[in-house]
Amino acid sequence: MATAAQFSYITINSPNFHLTATRSAFSRQLKYGGKYYSGFTDITSSRRKPKSLSVVCNNSSPSSSDISSTAKIRSEVLSPFRSVRMFFYLAFIASAGLGGLIASTRLIAALANSSRGAEVPEILKGLSIDLGAVSIFAFLYYRENKAKNAQVAKLAREENLSNLKLRVDEKKTVPVSAFRGIARLVILAGPSAFISECFKLSAPFTEGLLERGVLVVPFATDGISPSFEFEENDELEEKISRRKRLWQLAPIYATEWTKWIDEQKKLAGVSPESPVYLSLRLDGRVRGSGVGCPSWNAFVLQLPPVKGIWSGLLDGMDGRVL
């Protein structure tokens, strides 16, 4: 639930007091005359000239409800008829359940009256149809609801990823969501040696990766910054510049990145120590992931260029969403 910043004021009409603050932003205790007053109790027993003190209690902790709401909206956009199907499933369950209830009362009445024994087979037939309908539509509703919850949870994780911060240069910091529609990010998470190895393997495909809007986000899980060696050569100055552009992004707030990556590894059943990669589509959704270094050649072969004659027609050809 979203927690908005809240402010409260305490006015104290006495100079003889001691203010003991707890860690909670919403709890304060006042000690006066050997007694403790908590909450917002107004002390007015002093006869001296009142002095006022305003204590501002502020809580501006981040909220996750906005992310949750966004994920639900995106889920509705991606599956616009799911809610309609679920509504009809519930309606059919209610209708079949009512029919089964009526059939049950008729069956009891028929069994109690021997003169209506001939109606029992017909009533049993209708009752079985009603029970079968309830079972079938309940199963369909359960499956639809399970798929909905899984999709919302996945989109919520993607929204959490989109809020993580990246440093473009020394003066510019942006969230991952700022690259939607602009670049296809490839996130590498592992020890610095793994990052350096991926850096070397990407060298022959630098031009092709940049043409397809690929930018690499290296995140060293061992806390050691990987060293990227660029050969200083005037003849290769343009090539070195493009290499630096491909690897210019750097994650910040390592704790948040570590938490998100560890959650993904746990969901995928991957060992926490395993180096992994994660590739995103232009729309920011997850395109692919795996253990070890990504196949840079596969990116060049599978992804369309972000500029040129085919850019508009092939914007959605990023591969299926995982």
Side-chain angles (χ1 to χ4, degrees), residues 237-255:
E237 182 177 356
E238 183 177 355
K239 182 178 180 180
I240 294 173
S241 175
R242 296 180 70 82
R243 288 278 290 159
K244 291 181 178 180
R245 179 185 169 192
L246 178 64
W247 291 82
Q248 67 177 333
L249 301 179
I252 59 176
Y253 307 125
T255 303

Side-chain angles (χ1 to χ4, degrees), residues 153-154 157 260-270:
K154 179 180 178 299
R157 292 194 298 270
W260 189 88
I261 291 173
D262 287 344
E263 288 178 354
Q264 305 313 301
K265 288 182 178 180
K266 184 177 180 181
L267 290 172
V270 177

Side-chain angles (χ1 to χ4, degrees), residues 161 185-189 217 219 257 260-261 276-280:
L161 172 62
L185 301 184
V186 177
I187 302 170
L188 305 177
V217 181
F219 179 67
W257 278 90
W260 189 88
I261 291 173
V276 296
Y277 74 89
L278 190 77
S279 65
L280 306 183

Side-chain angles (χ1 to χ4, degrees), residues 8-267:
S8 61
Y9 297 89
I10 305 174
T11 301
I12 305 166
N13 296 322
S14 174
N16 301 322
F17 71 92
H18 299 282
L19 177 63
T20 303
T22 65
R23 289 188 178 183
S24 172
F26 295 101
S27 176
R28 295 291 185 271
Q29 290 185 332
L30 302 178
K31 183 178 181 182
Y32 179 81
K35 297 182 179 180
Y36 284 91
Y37 296 84
S38 59
F40 305 99
T41 306
D42 190 15
I43 304 173
T44 58
S45 61
S46 175
R47 295 181 179 179
R48 297 183 182 182
K49 185 178 179 180
K51 296 181 180 180
S52 63
L53 172 68
S54 296
V55 180
V56 180
C57 304
N58 182 11
N59 182 7
S60 57
S61 59
S63 170
S64 61
S65 63
D66 294 337
I67 298 176
S68 174
S69 299
T70 303
K72 291 179 180 179
I73 293 173
R74 291 182 63 191
S75 177
E76 291 292 336
V77 172
L78 294 173
S79 303
F81 299 108
R82 173 172 286 151
S83 298
V84 178
R85 291 196 299 268
M86 294 179 70
F87 170 78
F88 279 109
Y89 291 157
L90 288 175
F92 293 151
I93 291 172
S95 177
L98 180 60
L101 180 62
I102 295 173
S104 298
T105 58
R106 291 181 58 198
L107 179 62
I108 294 173
L111 293 175
N113 190 350
S114 58
S115 62
R116 299 180 56 187
E119 300 178 6
V120 172
E122 187 69 22
I123 296 174
L124 287 175
K125 180 180 178 181
L127 180 60
S128 62
I129 293 174
D130 291 332
L131 294 178
V134 169
S135 302
I136 292 173
F137 288 114
F139 169 75
L140 293 175
Y141 180 85
Y142 168 79
R143 188 180 65 173
E144 200 75 51
N145 189 58
K146 183 178 180 180
K148 176 184 177 181
N149 292 337
Q151 185 182 55
V152 170
K154 179 180 178 299
L155 292 174
R157 292 194 298 270
E158 292 179 353
E159 287 299 320
N160 291 336
L161 172 62
S162 70
N163 291 327
L164 297 178
K165 304 297 182 181
L166 293 171
R167 178 181 289 113
V168 180
D169 52 40
E170 295 181 355
K171 298 181 179 180
K172 188 175 182 181
T173 299
V174 297
V176 173
S177 59
F179 292 92
R180 285 179 179 171
I182 300 175
R184 300 179 173 101
L185 301 184
V186 177
I187 302 170
L188 305 177
S192 58
F194 164 74
I195 303 296
S196 300
E197 181 66 19
C198 293
F199 173 76
K200 295 177 182 179
L201 293 176
S202 68
F205 309 101
T206 301
E207 292 290 333
L209 292 173
L210 288 176
E211 289 177 359
R212 286 150 182 80
V214 175
L215 295 178
V216 183
V217 181
F219 179 67
T221 55
D222 55 3
I224 303 175
S225 299
S227 59
F228 299 147
E229 298 179 358
F230 301 94
E231 298 179 0
E232 298 297 335
N233 191 329
D234 294 338
E235 298 179 357
L236 302 176
E237 182 177 356
E238 183 177 355
K239 182 178 180 180
I240 294 173
S241 175
R242 296 180 70 82
R243 288 278 290 159
K244 291 181 178 180
R245 179 185 169 192
L246 178 64
W247 291 82
Q248 67 177 333
L249 301 179
I252 59 176
Y253 307 125
T255 303
E256 298 179 4
W257 278 90
T258 300
K259 179 181 178 181
W260 189 88
I261 291 173
D262 287 344
E263 288 178 354
Q264 305 313 301
K265 288 182 178 180
K266 184 177 180 181
L267 290 172

